Amino acid sequence: MKNIRNFCIIAHIDHGKSTLADRLLSFTGTTTVREEQAQLLDNMDLERERGITIKSHAIQMDYIFEGEKYVLNLIDTPGHVDFSYEVSRSIAACEGALLIVDAAQSIQAQTISNLYLALENDLEIIPVLNKVDLPSANPEEVTDDIVDLLGCKPEEVIHASGKTGFGVENILKAIIEKVPAPKGDVNAPLQALIFDSVYNSYRGIETYFRVMNGEIKKGEQVKFMATGKEYNADEVGTLKLTQVPKQSIKAGDVGYLITGVKTASEIKVGDTITDAINPTQNSIDGFEDVKPMVFAGIYPVDNDDYEELRNSMEKLKLNDASLVFIPESSAALGFGFRCGFLGMLHLEIIQERLEREFDMTVITTVPNVSYHAFTNKHPNTVLLVNNPSDLPEPSKLNRVEEPYIKATIITKSDFVGPVMSLCIEKRGQITNQTYLTTERVELTFDMPLAEIVFDFYDRLKTVSKGYASFDYHPIDLKASKLVRVDILLNGTPVDALSALIHADNAYNIGKKMCEKLRQLIPRQQFDIPIQAAIGAKIISRETVKALRKDVTAKCYGGDISRKRKLLEKQKKGKKRMRQVGNVEIPQEAFMAVLKLND
């Protein structure tokens, strides 16, 4: 066990951790020249296309250092704020972390956030300054920033380049010398932490775990403590580039387990695996509970695909434990699911994965957050409102509380003005402003979570020319003056387009929604009125004009009354058609509501 090292890589998005992981794999001979490719551990097409890591990946490397053979278990993590749950899981399975900072971009919000997560778990931090070969790199200044943040010595910061492979040997040396060997008792009862799982359509669910105590052998009976179910360990092994089956895996090591389980709900990430005959008494404290930030309805385009969508979502949940969903139904869209996501990027990725991996075309409703409502009848009883249609009538409503977050934004000092304007427009209140260096400022705001759900991140990048980084965590709930804006098409409310909005912005947003929908809803044989309403009060209206046949074309000359008679007849027909006609809403209309500022 003294020759095992478990470590993860943490960094802000786009600071080069996947590229550095590629260099570590090739340097230790884990991959051959033929197998090498950029972002080797990112095995989803989506990750490669966008250049981001969505899932953490585990891989084992063998490395000989000063004549001794070491086993290094690397877990690569995502950098985007929406996937911080993945990071917390990886950190729980490790003893050390490489903290990577881009020599050109310096320390960003997510660098600090992930660092605090690692320090809370008592991980040994190894600072690495990446991309030192870039012409725009500023190694001396950024090294000083890292020293200020960590309180380490300047010579402890390893200079490296993921592109050229410079400094990789020093990183491996630091991992072996600084990261502590795992503690654990091989003779104690089996205790292993599940940190990930993947669905394989041929073999069932593959569970990835880290053994804390004892050992797990092929063929023995194992028990999952959260569900209490027992299974036979058909295959155990370690994770190289492909899976390597072994007879047993001992304390301190990381591996995979196949039990032939096909039901997604039976395996929970964060659960403890133990021996069925000689079980451990204590389950392992896993990682922080997942807190969905954004809720949206996901519905199949065709109602007959509901069961198929449920199966797809369950398989996706195995692969992404931070997805939360419960069934719900909508008058406009039929049966579907109310899903909880960690942020807007997470929502986008899930939607895209459903389409690519499971061939499911889905309709997504307007995202919103979870509110607490109180009625006049029971002013102390909390009603949880995840869907705008659950909000009680304005006459019965006492108050609504909405979740607030503490947002940390790090930006260049040139952009402080535009960033502040954006946050104040989003009902934010500035609580702190700190100059990290003469060039870089850290701004702290208290703001409503609902305001950052839609387009905040994109607009923040725009006003700061891409230089601002953003991180947030929830603080508490505050009473707010919120109203439900309903959209009526042809006099019928469409519940999937309802939104809870602050009373001061309701008129503007209602007006913009009506204008946007007028452009997107195709013209029919009858006029379609689009209205925005708060309760019974209409606040805005647009009309999609009818397609009309020129019924007076055959009248040339003659009395005006002949023309009028034909037009009146057409008008009656249109009126009757409008009573029986129903309006199809295109998928773009649901998504367009999010992009009202474009």
Side-chain angles (χ1 to χ4, degrees), residues 153-172:
K153 299 189 182 83
E155 56 273 16
E156 287 176 22
V157 179
I158 301 168
H159 288 216
S161 161
K163 195 160 94 183
T164 62
F166 167 71
V168 169
E169 200 169 345
N170 295 340
I171 293 175
L172 288 164

Side-chain angles (χ1 to χ4, degrees), residues 234-457:
D234 296 341
E235 186 181 306
V236 294
T238 51
L239 297 150
K240 290 280 175 66
L241 202 54
T242 53
Q243 295 172 340
V244 183
K246 294 272 174 77
Q247 282 307 311
S248 78
I249 292 180
K250 298 186 178 174
D253 216 342
V254 172
Y256 72 92
L257 163 73
I258 295 174
T259 54
V261 183
K262 287 281 199 293
T263 320
S265 56
E266 289 180 19
I267 293 198
K268 299 204 169 18
V269 170
D271 191 4
T272 305
I273 307 175
T274 187
D275 192 335
I277 299 155
N278 177 21
T280 176
Q281 296 310 309
N282 319 324
S283 55
I284 306 162
D285 287 338
F287 13 86
E288 55 180 90
D289 267 344
V290 56
K291 291 190 276 290
M293 292 289 178
V294 177
F295 294 87
I298 287 190
Y299 292 85
V301 172
D302 183 354
N303 257 336
D304 297 345
D305 297 339
Y306 174 71
E307 279 303 321
E308 205 175 316
L309 178 62
R310 180 199 290 275
N311 292 338
S312 308
M313 298 276 276
E314 283 184 351
K315 287 173 189 170
L316 203 53
K317 184 170 169 59
L318 273 183
N319 218 320
D320 181 349
S322 47
L323 173 67
V324 182
F325 62 92
I326 51 167
E328 74 163 2
S329 63
S330 144
L333 299 169
F335 290 106
F337 296 96
R338 166 94 356 204
C339 306
F341 305 96
L342 297 178
M344 283 305 285
L345 178 68
H346 190 204
L347 163 72
E348 218 176 294
I349 296 290
I350 292 289
Q351 198 178 340
E352 190 119 341
R353 286 184 68 184
L354 280 170
E355 286 189 13
R356 288 190 187 198
E357 294 172 28
F358 302 100
D359 246 2
M360 294 293 311
T361 315
V362 292
I363 293 173
T364 313
T365 65
V366 184
N368 64 314
V369 301
S370 188
Y371 299 93
H372 286 182
F374 298 87
T375 55
N376 290 324
K377 201 171 178 185
H378 306 288
N380 296 325
T381 311
V382 176
L383 277 174
L384 198 65
V385 179
N386 283 336
N387 194 340
S389 55
D390 300 341
L391 191 74
E393 288 302 310
S395 56
K396 296 176 184 169
L397 196 60
N398 181 315
R399 66 185 190 282
V400 181
E401 292 184 351
E402 65 175 330
Y404 267 66
I405 55 158
K406 185 170 278 311
T408 309
I409 295 168
I410 295 179
T411 182
K412 282 196 161 181
S413 46
D414 314 3
F415 305 116
V416 170
V419 169
M420 275 194 181
S421 306
L422 171 66
C423 292
I424 289 162
E425 180 199 325
K426 296 281 188 186
R427 298 193 283 137
Q429 292 163 340
I430 186 155
T431 55
N432 198 358
Q433 178 177 354
T434 318
Y435 276 81
L436 301 171
T437 64
T438 49
E439 284 292 296
R440 293 172 56 251
V441 189
E442 181 181 46
L443 301 167
T444 314
F445 289 90
D446 285 355
M447 57 201 297
L449 177 62
E451 294 288 346
I452 67 155
V453 164
F454 294 154
D455 55 355
F456 179 77
Y457 196 63

Side-chain angles (χ1 to χ4, degrees), residues 513-549:
M513 280 164 98
C514 289
E515 285 168 1
K516 200 88 174 184
L517 288 169
R518 195 194 73 208
Q519 297 161 13
L520 290 166
I521 289 176
R523 290 169 71 186
Q524 310 265 5
Q525 294 288 335
F526 53 93
D527 279 2
I528 305 170
I530 303 169
Q531 296 162 310
I534 297 174
K537 183 184 173 192
I538 304 291
I539 54 171
S540 175
R541 170 180 169 137
E542 296 283 336
T543 309
V544 179
K545 284 291 176 199
L547 292 164
R548 297 198 157 206
K549 183 178 169 189

